Amino acid sequence: MSHRVTDELGSKEMDIVSASSSRRNSENLPYVHKVGVPPKQNLLKEIAATVKETFFADDPLRHFKDQPRSRKFVLGFRAVFPIFEWGRNYSLSKLRGDLIAGLTIASLCIPQDIGYAKLANLEPQYGLYSSFVPPLVYAFMGSSRDIAIGPVAVVSLLLGSLLQDEIDSSDNPVDYRRLAFTATFFAGITQVTLGFLRLGFLIDFLSHAAIVGFMAGAAVTIALQQLKGLLGIKKFTKNTDIVSVMRSVWSSVHHGWNWQTILIGVAFLAFLLVAKYIGKRKKKLFWVPAIAPLISVILSTFFVYITRADKHGVQIVKHIRQGVNPPSVNEIFFSGEYLGKGFRIGVVAGMIALTEAVAIGRTFASMKDYQLDGNKEMVALGTMNIVGSMTSCYVATGSFSRSAVNYMAGCHTAVSNIVMSCVVLLTLELITPLFKYTPNAILASIIISAVIGLIDIEAVALIWKIDKFDFVACMGAFFGVVFSSVEIGLLIAVSISFAKILLQVTRPRTAILGKLPRTTVYRNILQYPDATKVPGILIVRVDSAIYFSNSNYFKERILRWLADEEEQLKENFQPRIMYLIVEMSPVTDIDTSGIHAFEELFRSLEKRDVKLVLANPGPVVVDKLHASKFPELIGEDRIFLTVADAVLTCAPKTEEP
């Protein structure tokens, strides 16, 4: 009896000792925090949250919360017409700045508009019409303080090129003009739809590099097209590619060039370029290049009139219709064969115009540190083009050159656009007959000097330094426009942009991680050569969400990493890999294909006697992994909060103290 009691006491004592010993050992190890599983969300709430984050990330209705109905109506009205918001604090000091800016950009826009209309194969007055009505509409609805509205060179060229493919402007000018109004109407519808449905992110699919190349190519094409007016050539190709244009230029060198026209054009082009150089060197003299085009028009018109140079082969503008915009609702094709063509052209022109305007608006908004609502901008731009199509205007958008002048002239609000519109109105009513003797060479010179600024050599050099694939997109768009057509260049730009997205989605970056000395931090061994690999463990990071498009590549790439590593270890007679740790912090999401890829990876590793371990999966990924019961497959204890915890648990003996 006494022996049995003694044995029981001894065993209890041993249990107590072992328990205290194990407690002491566990206390010596750092605490390993388990990965948290987010609580299950209601499906409808989850969908609503996703939709809100996708389309309403800026929470546009936050101002309407807890407001009475009458107040909500006022706020809604101001949201649609921002002029009634900022107009309450408008002052005479702001009016002074807007008045000067408006008069300055008006002096720039009038000669440009006449030239851009000819670029779109329309009569000169339609360029002026497009700088009268659209800026007024935008002033009431737009949220940018600096953007100057009107026709621009790239959109004019694009529209003229696309319209000319459908209807010859010389053979059938009436239907050509009607198709231009139809395209403008659908350009506006496209822009309003994108803004109303908050789909502005779609225009971001055209990368910055592609836009730089497209703009540069368009600038070269536009400048080449102006050789007709600059050299006085009467018979000129209707193609826009550089080969056709240069062939047309050199084939008429002996009988088609007019020396008086060349003298006028080159002399004033030199004057415009010098004025631009002066404005660039001294910011305070910004008004010099702004008024230089108008001065050129006045001087050249006066010179042609007194010398009657038009009698000696100098081509002139001739008649510009006097008066304000006539209504054109009845001229829009709402049915028939040209309806579909107008819609297609309008969508393309509308997207390009939108891209340019939003980019310009964001640029100046960041310079003045105020917020620009991209979706409101789209609605405003679309509305002004819809109204414009009904008042004899073609596609208008934000002009970079005019917006820059507007900014430097000290504009405060969109009132500068109203001032510009009023000046254009006076021009249409009173001054248009005076443009009769304006030589076409001057308009060509003005357009050439304006589009030179679209060729951004510094941006191209920076693109080459940063991303070679972006450079390919840039050059592809450039050469597509220059050697083929504006449409082909645009198609190449969009195609290369999408190809880049697909390449990044289907081939995500992966990296092998090593431990930085004297830390518990694990980083890419290529970026940090002093980072060391942990013996017996391969740590891999995936820098992308894992979807059906890249799941197979993800699995095969990791197995290839493992095979290469094992081969290297075998050659160096080092211990084989026992654990594969996948660092998942950059993996923002995973779908069914991704989970299947993990399951296949797990089975492949099992055959090699390698254990799969996951580190730091995000809440969305963890939720989906648990829904698929993947943790049960690999073991709940194989999912860790950090790579350091995973290494500590898998190979505690190899870790530094």
Side-chain angles (χ1 to χ4, degrees):
M1 182 75 178
S2 61
H3 286 294
R4 191 168 55 207
V5 171
T6 305
D7 290 340
E8 286 177 2
L9 287 172
S11 64
K12 286 181 180 178
E13 191 175 320
M14 288 295 291
D15 290 341
I16 292 168
V17 171
S18 64
S20 63
S21 175
S22 64
R23 192 182 304 114
R24 201 162 46 247
N25 288 336
S26 65
E27 286 172 357
N28 290 335
L29 289 174
Y31 175 67
V32 176
H33 200 290
K34 290 291 181 185
V35 174
V37 181
K40 269 289 180 187
Q41 290 187 346
N42 180 280
L43 181 61
L44 291 177
K45 286 184 178 179
E46 192 174 349
I47 292 172
T50 304
V51 170
K52 182 181 177 183
E53 192 61 31
T54 303
F55 298 103
F56 304 96
D58 55 345
D59 194 9
L61 302 178
R62 63 186 181 278
H63 301 299
F64 295 86
K65 290 178 182 176
D66 305 321
Q67 297 288 345
R69 186 173 295 178
S70 58
R71 180 63 180 165
K72 285 180 180 178
F73 175 78
V74 173
L75 290 172
F77 187 76
R78 288 178 183 169
V80 177
F81 301 102
I83 191 171
F84 294 104
E85 177 67 34
W86 53 260
R88 295 181 302 163
N89 302 317
Y90 199 70
S91 61
L92 285 175
S93 60
K94 289 182 179 179
L95 177 62
R96 180 177 172 275
D98 288 337
L99 188 63
I100 294 170
L103 292 172
T104 308
I105 58 175
S107 67
L108 178 62
C109 87
I110 290 168
Q112 280 187 350
D113 290 346
I114 297 171
Y116 292 159
K118 293 179 78 67
L119 201 59
N121 301 317
L122 292 166
E123 292 176 22
Q125 65 266 21
Y126 292 103
L128 295 171
Y129 292 161
S130 302
S131 275
F132 171 47
V133 173
L136 285 177
V137 177
Y138 181 84
F140 280 83
M141 298 186 68
S143 54
S144 173
R145 304 172 193 169
D146 306 280
I147 198 168
I149 298 297
V152 296
V154 174
V155 176
S156 299
L157 174 69
L158 177 66
L159 199 64
S161 176
L162 293 174
L163 293 172
Q164 189 70 30
D165 289 342
E166 303 299 338
I167 302 174
D168 193 301
S169 57
S170 4
D171 295 343
N172 193 352
V174 176
D175 281 348
Y176 181 90
R177 184 178 67 245
R178 292 185 65 187
L179 188 59
F181 297 151
T182 306
T184 303
F185 175 80
F186 284 112
I189 292 292
T190 301
Q191 293 167 339
V192 168
T193 303
L194 289 174
F196 185 75
L197 298 179
R198 307 185 70 80
L199 298 173
F201 59 84
L202 292 177
I203 65 173
D204 294 330
F205 279 96
L206 195 61
S207 68
H208 171 71
I211 291 172
V212 169
F214 175 75
M215 290 292 188
V220 171
T221 301
I222 291 166
L224 290 173
Q225 289 281 305
Q226 300 316 302
L227 292 177
K228 176 187 176 183
L230 197 68
L231 302 174
I233 302 171
K234 293 182 179 179
K235 291 183 179 180
F236 201 73
T237 179
K238 292 181 180 178
N239 296 327
T240 59
D241 63 283
I242 188 170
V243 175
S244 300
V245 170
M246 295 313 296
R247 186 184 291 123
S248 184
V249 169
W250 292 114
S251 63
S252 58
V253 65
H254 296 298
H255 55 82
W257 292 16
N258 181 274
W259 71 266
Q260 294 98 328
T261 302
I262 296 172
L263 180 64
I264 294 170
V266 171
F268 281 101
L269 178 59
F271 168 68
L272 291 167
L273 293 176
V274 169
K276 183 169 277 193
Y277 177 77
I278 292 170
K280 210 171 194 179
R281 288 295 299 269
K282 294 186 178 181
K283 299 296 182 185
K284 290 183 179 179
L285 298 177
F286 68 90
W287 52 271
V288 173
I291 65 169
L294 191 59
I295 291 172
S296 300
V297 168
I298 293 169
L299 291 177
S300 62
T301 303
F302 179 71
F303 174 77
V304 170
Y305 177 73
I306 60 171
T307 61
R308 296 315 305 262
D310 56 309
K311 302 280 188 185
H312 301 281
V314 174
Q315 298 175 42
I316 58 175
V317 172
K318 295 180 181 175
H319 176 68
I320 298 180
R321 180 175 171 176
Q322 192 172 5
V324 295
N325 308 29
S328 57
V329 182
N330 295 332
E331 294 193 47
I332 299 173
F333 290 113
F334 289 112
S335 61
E337 62 172 316
Y338 292 125
L339 174 62
K341 294 174 180 178
F343 175 77
R344 179 178 58 81
I345 296 169
V347 169
V348 175
M351 293 288 280
I352 294 299
L354 203 55
T355 302
E356 187 170 354
V358 171
I360 292 167
R362 285 174 179 169
T363 300
F364 289 105
S366 64
M367 290 169 71
K368 283 192 176 180
D369 193 26
Y370 66 89
Q371 198 66 29
L372 191 73
D373 189 327
N375 291 295
K376 278 186 184 177
E377 284 295 286
M378 292 174 200
V379 172
L381 292 164
T383 304
M384 78 179 191
N385 277 316
I386 292 171
V387 175
S389 69
M390 299 177 181
T391 51
S392 299
C393 305
Y394 73 96
V395 181
T397 187
S399 164
F400 189 82
S401 58
R402 276 176 256 173
S403 298
V405 170
N406 197 29
Y407 171 81
M408 290 186 287
C411 73
H412 295 285
T413 66
V415 169
S416 60
N417 275 295
I418 297 176
V419 173
M420 180 189 72
S421 294
C422 293
V423 174
V424 172
L425 172 63
L426 291 174
T427 303
L428 285 166
E429 288 285 8
L430 305 172
I431 306 174
T432 47
L434 301 179
F435 289 115
K436 179 180 178 181
Y437 290 100
T438 301
N440 289 339
I442 283 301
L443 301 179
S445 301
I446 290 169
I447 292 173
I448 291 171
S449 66
V451 299
I452 284 174
L454 296 176
I455 304 173
D456 196 340
I457 302 296
E458 291 180 6
V460 174
L462 186 62
I463 289 167
W464 167 258
K465 289 179 183 176
I466 294 173
D467 192 321
K468 301 300 183 287
F469 198 98
D470 267 355
F471 182 77
V472 171
C474 179
M475 289 296 100
F478 175 79
F479 288 119
V481 173
V482 171
F483 285 98
S484 184
S485 64
V486 178
E487 310 95 276
I488 296 298
L490 186 59
L491 182 62
I492 290 173
V494 173
S495 300
I496 295 178
S497 298
F498 270 102
K500 183 181 179 183
I501 294 169
L502 289 174
L503 188 63
Q504 290 177 338
V505 169
T506 57
R507 294 293 181 266
R509 294 183 185 276
T510 55
I512 291 181
L513 307 186
K515 183 185 175 190
L516 295 178
R518 297 179 297 280
T519 70
T520 57
V521 177
Y522 292 80
R523 290 293 182 266
N524 189 340
I525 59 174
L526 293 178
Q527 185 179 0
Y528 299 94
D530 56 339
T532 56
K533 298 176 184 176
V534 181
I537 299 176
L538 179 64
I539 308 168
V540 179
R541 187 183 68 212
V542 183
D543 294 334
S544 168
I546 302 173
Y547 293 127
F548 65 93
S549 57
N550 61 22
S551 59
N552 195 51
Y553 170 80
F554 148 76
K555 180 195 70 175
E556 290 177 353
R557 187 68 186 94
I558 288 181
L559 290 174
R560 196 159 74 248
W561 277 125
L562 183 62
D564 293 345
E565 194 71 16
E566 285 180 336
E567 189 177 330
Q568 190 177 354
L569 292 172
K570 194 173 181 180
E571 288 176 1
N572 298 327
F573 302 102
Q574 292 180 339
R576 70 177 186 85
I577 300 295
M578 299 179 67
Y579 291 92
L580 173 70
I581 299 175
V582 182
E583 162 41 331
M584 298 186 68
S585 54
V587 181
T588 55
D589 202 353
I590 191 169
D591 66 359
T592 311
S593 299
I595 292 171
H596 281 313
F598 265 110
E599 291 171 351
E600 291 171 11
L601 177 64
F602 171 74
R603 284 191 285 271
S604 297
L605 294 175
E606 263 192 330
K607 292 175 184 177
R608 302 176 187 218
D609 197 21
V610 177
K611 294 178 176 62
L612 177 62
V613 177
L614 306 183
N616 196 22
V620 175
V621 176
V622 165
D623 187 43
K624 292 183 179 181
L625 288 176
H626 276 81
S628 66
K629 299 185 179 179
F630 184 73
E632 296 177 16
L633 180 66
I634 66 167
E636 291 277 0
D637 57 342
R638 297 280 178 80
I639 303 178
F640 294 90
L641 186 63
T642 64
V643 173
D645 287 349
V647 172
L648 183 69
T649 305
C650 297
K653 292 180 182 178
T654 63
E655 279 295 277
E656 296 175 12

